[in-house]
Amino acid sequence: MKIMHKLFFIILAVVCAWALPVQGAYAELGLQAVTVTTAPSGEQSYSVSIQILILMTVLTLLPAALMMMTSFTRIIIVLSIMRQALGLMQAPSSQTLIGLSLFLTFFIMAPVFDRINTEALQPYLSEKMTIQDAAEAAGKPLRHFMFGQTRESDIMTFSQIAGHEKFATHAEVPFSILVPAFVTSELKTAFQIGFLLFIPFLIIDLVVASVLMSMGMMMLSPMVISLPFKIMLFVLVDGWNLIIGTLASSFYV
């Protein structure tokens, strides 16, 4: 334990010595790893270490951004409702649905990602744009996509909750209001599509239940009989192709 305490204090002393201001010429230069430089035009540029820190922080929020700011939410909910309507609790598995939703999201969001790469990422990597300008440029294609799927009533709801007045243009709407409004609209749209998908399979369940009741087979579960018919109907109409095609086209109508 004494050795551990000594080691701890040695490490603490080294960290404190590294953090303290450096005398002489080094003090004038400052610690280059965390330097913020102000250009004559007033723009600020950050050192590589700060940019890496910002990038790592953004990467931790990437899963949440992928789910809440893309088409992922609508797709995974519709596919989950589809599995529920078929009566298959484990097929396809949740991993399969998430993987399918993820790659379908990349397919749908490809035009948006291409614009972000062309208008923000490549200019930033070629040092033609600062990180602030790149972040602002990257947000424009994403905002355009989100506004195309967001209802005005949802934006009004969250703006009233936040205490904002009515926005004159879409450019005035901050991400703090746009993101929850977009997610709310996606949830509503996903449940509307799921309701329409549920109706044909519900009719099959009702018909099978009525036939079994008329035959006096009340102890036999209707799900056991209706499941093969629902799977057969789904395969005959090429259900997966219809659902995936409808989902993909619903974002660009």
Side-chain angles (χ1 to χ4, degrees):
M1 294 298 294
K2 292 182 179 180
I3 297 176
M4 294 296 296
H5 288 166
K6 290 181 179 179
L7 181 61
F8 172 76
F9 284 115
I10 290 173
I11 296 175
L12 181 61
V14 171
V15 172
C16 291
W18 176 79
L20 289 175
V22 185
Q23 301 296 326
Y26 291 99
E28 295 178 0
L29 294 174
L31 190 61
Q32 297 298 324
V34 289
T35 301
V36 179
T37 305
T38 303
S41 60
E43 296 182 353
Q44 291 183 335
S45 60
Y46 300 95
S47 61
V48 177
S49 299
I50 295 182
Q51 295 181 22
I52 293 175
L53 178 61
I54 295 174
L55 178 61
M56 296 302 294
T57 304
V58 171
L59 288 178
T60 59
L61 302 175
L62 186 59
L66 179 63
M67 291 186 293
M68 298 290 102
M69 301 173 69
T70 64
S71 58
F72 182 85
T73 301
R74 182 188 303 185
I75 297 170
I76 190 63
I77 291 178
V78 171
L79 293 181
S80 300
I81 294 177
M82 187 73 252
R83 182 176 63 178
Q84 183 87 17
L86 283 171
L88 301 172
M89 298 297 103
Q90 300 297 330
S93 63
S94 298
Q95 292 84 353
T96 303
L97 292 183
I98 293 175
L100 177 60
S101 302
L102 187 61
F103 282 98
L104 190 56
T105 298
F106 290 150
F107 172 77
I108 294 171
M109 300 296 295
V112 179
F113 293 155
D114 288 341
R115 286 190 57 190
I116 293 175
N117 180 63
T118 303
E119 300 176 6
L121 181 59
Q122 293 304 323
Y124 171 71
L125 294 178
S126 59
E127 298 183 356
K128 297 179 180 179
M129 186 179 292
T130 62
I131 188 171
Q132 298 97 325
D133 295 336
E136 183 177 353
K140 291 180 180 179
L142 195 58
R143 288 172 63 91
H144 179 74
F145 169 80
M146 294 171 68
F147 273 116
Q149 312 300 325
T150 307
R151 295 174 174 83
E152 293 293 336
S153 59
D154 294 326
I155 296 178
M156 288 296 299
T157 299
F158 285 97
S159 62
Q160 291 175 0
I161 294 174
H164 290 280
E165 297 181 358
K166 185 178 180 179
F167 298 102
T169 60
H170 287 170
E172 299 178 0
V173 181
F175 268 106
S176 59
I177 293 178
L178 177 58
V179 173
F182 170 74
V183 175
T184 304
S185 297
E186 286 293 281
L187 290 174
K188 183 177 181 179
T189 304
F191 276 91
Q192 287 176 343
I193 297 175
F195 171 76
L196 296 177
L197 292 175
F198 220 108
I199 292 178
F201 302 104
L202 180 61
I203 293 175
I204 294 177
D205 288 332
L206 292 175
V207 170
V208 171
S210 300
V211 172
L212 292 178
M213 287 288 292
S214 63
M215 297 176 63
M217 298 181 180
M218 293 177 292
M219 300 302 294
L220 182 61
S221 174
M223 291 294 297
V224 177
I225 307 299
S226 63
L227 181 58
F229 290 99
K230 290 191 289 186
I231 295 177
M232 180 182 66
L233 174 65
F234 191 70
V235 172
L236 290 177
V237 300
D238 199 6
W240 288 114
N241 187 21
L242 289 175
I243 292 174
I244 293 176
T246 302
L247 283 173
S249 61
S250 65
F251 290 93
Y252 297 100
V253 293

